DNA sequence: TGTGATGTTGAATG
DNA sequence: GCATTCAACATCAC
């Protein structure tokens, strides 16, 4: 699911159904997503606690709690949540279940188990210690330019680096590069600043647009938005054919119109 | 049956 | 110190 717009969608959906409800218990079905935190510690934190608010920076989500510490969730590749009736079977791929005093239970689902689900003392401290950079939608243009200015190498690699800008991932980077006609293999040291400004502008616009429209991330990845990600594909307007390559270890799609700097 | 998948991290290499 | 590549994580779906 998860790049910035999808995590934001997760945040909104989560906030709409999980806040201000006292938790009766947390049930750990698979402790992989606890990343070494003892299930009992999660249980102790959540039992009798109430989630009060949500935060997000990049792909990192937090639910603040009445008691102080926050629940951190990173969706990895396939994280999501679902509500279900308490006396029914938990959804497929449920890894942790939050059971409330009343009402539907919440299952954190994650087929591949690359996600994270555990308490942290303070989100900001956690993110800063981890070196997570500013959110792609919060960052100002000047800061965006400054952060990329001191960097060499492949554009896409830098954009994937969450310590520079947090929130973009493989798909949205390709999408914005397509929009701006900047080839993702361009080298930063050869990319004119004006192009980076363009990238910044389009990034803001596309992410905002995604937040406004794509409010249900559960339709991702079969969404028509990504249908062009196929070698040889031609757009209805004739652009193409799409090439498939590997950049920074990730499958990347481009069209011939994209300009490669460096 | 093999292949690839929206993410992150650490090790090895240049 | 930087950048790059690769493997690992664990599993599903085509």
């Amino acid at each position: 699911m998860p790049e910035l717009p999808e995590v934001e969608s997760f945040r909104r959906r989560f906030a709409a159904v999980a806040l201000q409800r006292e938790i009766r218990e947390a049930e750990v079905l698979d402790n992989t997503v606890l990343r070494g935190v003892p299930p009992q510690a999660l249980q102790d934190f959540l039992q009798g606690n109430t989630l009060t608010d949500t935060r997000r920076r990049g792909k990192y989500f937090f639910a603040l709690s009445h008691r102080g510490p926050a629940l951190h969730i990173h969706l990895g590749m396939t994280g999501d949540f679902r509500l279900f009736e308490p006396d029914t079977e938990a959804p497929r791929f449920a890894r942790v279940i939050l059971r409330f005093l009343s009402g539907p239970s919440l299952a954190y689902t994650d087929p591949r188990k690359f996600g994270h689900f555990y308490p942290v003392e303070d989100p900001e401290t956690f993110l800063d210690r981890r070196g997570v950079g500013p959110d792609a939608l919060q960052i100002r243009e000047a800061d965006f330019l400054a952060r990329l200015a001191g960097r060499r190498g492949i554009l896409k690699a830098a954009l994937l680096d969450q310590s520079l800008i947090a929130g973009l991932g493989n798909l949205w980077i390709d999408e914005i590069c397509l929009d701006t006609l900047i080839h993702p293999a361009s080298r930063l040291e050869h990319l004119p600043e004006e192009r980076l400004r363009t990238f910044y502008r389009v990034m803001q616009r596309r992410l905002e647009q995604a937040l406004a429209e794509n409010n249900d991330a559960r339709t991702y990845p079969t969404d028509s938005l990504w249908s062009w990600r196929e070698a040889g594909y031609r757009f209805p307007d004739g652009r193409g054919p799409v090439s498939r390559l590997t950049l920074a270890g990730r499958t990347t799609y481009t069209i011939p119109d994209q300009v490669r700097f460096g």
Side-chain angles (χ1 to χ4, degrees), chain A residues 177-184 195 234-235 237-243 254-261:
Chain A
C177 282
L178 174 72
D179 256 22
T180 55
L181 295 183
I182 300 170
H183 197 290
R195 292 289 178 150
R234 270 192 185 279
F235 286 85
D237 62 12
R239 284 177 304 157
V242 169
S243 304
T254 62
I255 60 173
D257 297 346
Q258 288 173 275
V259 184
R260 181 169 172 166
F261 298 87

Side-chain angles (χ1 to χ4, degrees), chain A residues 116-127:
Chain A
H116 296 195
F117 193 108
Y118 50 78
V120 298
E121 271 305 314
D122 175 65
E124 291 297 311
T125 309
F126 173 84
L127 290 168

Side-chain angles (χ1 to χ4, degrees), chain A residues 170-227:
Chain A
N170 195 34
L171 271 52
W172 278 106
I173 290 171
D174 279 7
E175 195 70 29
I176 299 165
C177 282
L178 174 72
D179 256 22
T180 55
L181 295 183
I182 300 170
H183 197 290
S186 296
R187 309 225 120 214
L188 273 172
E189 62 272 32
H190 296 298
L191 195 62
E193 184 180 280
E194 168 262 327
R195 292 289 178 150
L196 275 182
R197 288 183 195 277
T198 303
F199 188 95
Y200 175 84
R201 260 201 322 278
V202 172
M203 173 177 81
Q204 298 296 312
R205 181 162 56 72
R206 290 301 303 271
L207 293 180
E208 292 284 6
Q209 189 186 338
L211 295 196
E213 292 176 359
N214 178 29
N215 210 18
D216 187 0
R218 286 166 293 187
T219 60
Y220 206 71
T222 51
D223 195 288
S224 59
L225 184 60
W226 316 108
S227 61

Side-chain angles (χ1 to χ4, degrees), chain A residues 20-256:
Chain A
Q20 316 306 338
R21 300 176 65 197
E22 186 173 334
I23 297 165
R24 185 160 54 75
E25 67 170 337
E27 190 179 333
V28 177
L29 303 183
D30 187 318
N31 62 14
T32 307
V33 296
L34 270 59
R35 306 288 146 182
V37 171
Q40 191 59 48
L42 181 73
Q43 178 68 258
D44 291 346
F45 164 59
L46 290 173
Q47 192 157 45
N49 204 347
T50 300
L51 302 176
T52 55
D53 203 356
T54 57
R55 294 280 186 277
R56 181 193 58 76
R57 190 201 293 180
K59 306 168 191 171
Y60 294 78
F61 168 86
F62 304 87
L64 309 189
S65 89
H66 188 64
R67 281 182 193 151
L71 173 64
H72 167 50
I73 304 177
H74 193 294
L75 301 175
M77 295 272 255
T78 55
D80 199 359
F81 81 83
R82 279 183 61 183
L83 295 179
F84 68 104
E85 289 307 313
D87 48 359
T88 62
E89 196 183 344
R92 205 176 172 207
F93 308 126
R95 306 308 182 192
V96 181
I97 293 171
L98 301 186
R99 300 191 180 279
F100 300 89
L101 281 189
S102 63
S105 301
L106 187 152
Y108 173 70
T109 57
D110 192 350
R112 287 179 70 182
K113 300 194 274 194
F114 284 5
H116 296 195
F117 193 108
Y118 50 78
V120 298
E121 271 305 314
D122 175 65
E124 291 297 311
T125 309
F126 173 84
L127 290 168
D128 293 342
R129 261 208 296 263
R130 191 168 277 244
V132 177
D135 185 83
L137 265 180
Q138 299 296 318
I139 192 171
R140 308 266 288 275
E141 186 184 53
D143 193 16
F144 176 82
L145 296 174
R147 285 178 161 268
L148 292 172
R151 175 119 180 176
R152 298 180 284 110
I154 295 167
L155 172 66
K156 182 160 185 175
L159 296 169
L160 282 166
D161 186 342
Q162 303 296 299
S163 72
L164 290 177
I165 297 115
L168 296 183
N170 195 34
L171 271 52
W172 278 106
I173 290 171
D174 279 7
E175 195 70 29
I176 299 165
C177 282
L178 174 72
D179 256 22
T180 55
L181 295 183
I182 300 170
H183 197 290
S186 296
R187 309 225 120 214
L188 273 172
E189 62 272 32
H190 296 298
L191 195 62
E193 184 180 280
E194 168 262 327
R195 292 289 178 150
L196 275 182
R197 288 183 195 277
T198 303
F199 188 95
Y200 175 84
R201 260 201 322 278
V202 172
M203 173 177 81
Q204 298 296 312
R205 181 162 56 72
R206 290 301 303 271
L207 293 180
E208 292 284 6
Q209 189 186 338
L211 295 196
E213 292 176 359
N214 178 29
N215 210 18
D216 187 0
R218 286 166 293 187
T219 60
Y220 206 71
T222 51
D223 195 288
S224 59
L225 184 60
W226 316 108
S227 61
W228 66 280
R229 299 180 66 79
E230 183 189 345
Y233 179 85
R234 270 192 185 279
F235 286 85
D237 62 12
R239 284 177 304 157
V242 169
S243 304
R244 173 191 162 127
L245 58 153
T246 299
L247 283 179
R250 314 300 299 279
T251 300
T252 302
Y253 294 90
T254 62
I255 60 173

